[in-house]
Amino acid sequence: QVQLVESGGGLVQAGGSLRLSCAVSGGSFSNYDLGWFRQAPGKERDFVAVSRWNGGSAYYADSVKGRVTISRDSAKNTVYLQMNSLKPEDTAVYYCAGRPAWKFNSPDRGYDYWGQGTQVTVSS
């Protein structure tokens, strides 16, 4: 069973930066698309970004495009989300998500595995 564990969240002022990490275990790292979602209180869980299984392409939500970079390190079985120029509206619990590569249809669908989340709070 694939397990995902997020880390790196915290409190940051608007305009600051954070790098989130997601450690992957229990499966072959290269078999999975790995992405990030976020959920603010009272709102639905929204897609943020995904890196495809071979790291050859990435997709971003319009709300974060230009401020966020997703990357993956196969030697460490870890996917990262670098976030810059953070805004108060970025405040949410951020979740790492995994999807078997063969299930790809669209960037925000088909994820089978989820981490427990890490809190990101951006103050104004």
Side-chain angles (χ1 to χ4, degrees):
Q1 187 81 346
V2 174
Q3 294 182 336
L4 308 173
V5 180
E6 304 96 333
S7 62
L11 176 65
V12 64
Q13 289 186 290
S17 299
L18 282 174
R19 189 180 72 163
L20 307 182
S21 299
C22 175
V24 181
S25 62
S28 180
F29 187 72
S30 62
N31 285 349
Y32 299 93
D33 300 335
L34 295 169
W36 292 90
F37 289 71
R38 66 186 183 184
Q39 187 169 23
K43 298 184 179 179
E44 66 182 11
R45 188 172 297 186
D46 292 328
F47 169 77
V48 177
V50 62
S51 174
R52 292 228 62 212
W53 64 277
N54 62 355
S57 60
Y59 302 86
Y60 299 93
D62 289 341
S63 59
V64 301
K65 194 172 298 182
R67 301 187 294 120
V68 166
T69 301
I70 189 169
S71 61
R72 57 198 292 162
D73 186 341
S74 60
K76 297 181 178 180
N77 287 352
T78 300
V79 61
Y80 303 96
L81 188 72
Q82 177 68 48
M83 302 189 292
N84 302 317
S85 301
L86 285 164
K87 305 174 181 179
E89 51 262 46
D90 294 319
T91 295
V93 176
Y94 284 70
Y95 297 91
C96 185
R99 175 181 65 196
W102 65 268
K103 292 185 68 176
F104 173 79
N105 185 35
S106 62
D108 60 338
R109 305 289 177 86
Y111 295 87
D112 294 327
Y113 305 101
W114 298 86
Q116 295 300 305
T118 185
Q119 177 72 48
V120 172
T121 302
V122 184
S123 62
S124 59

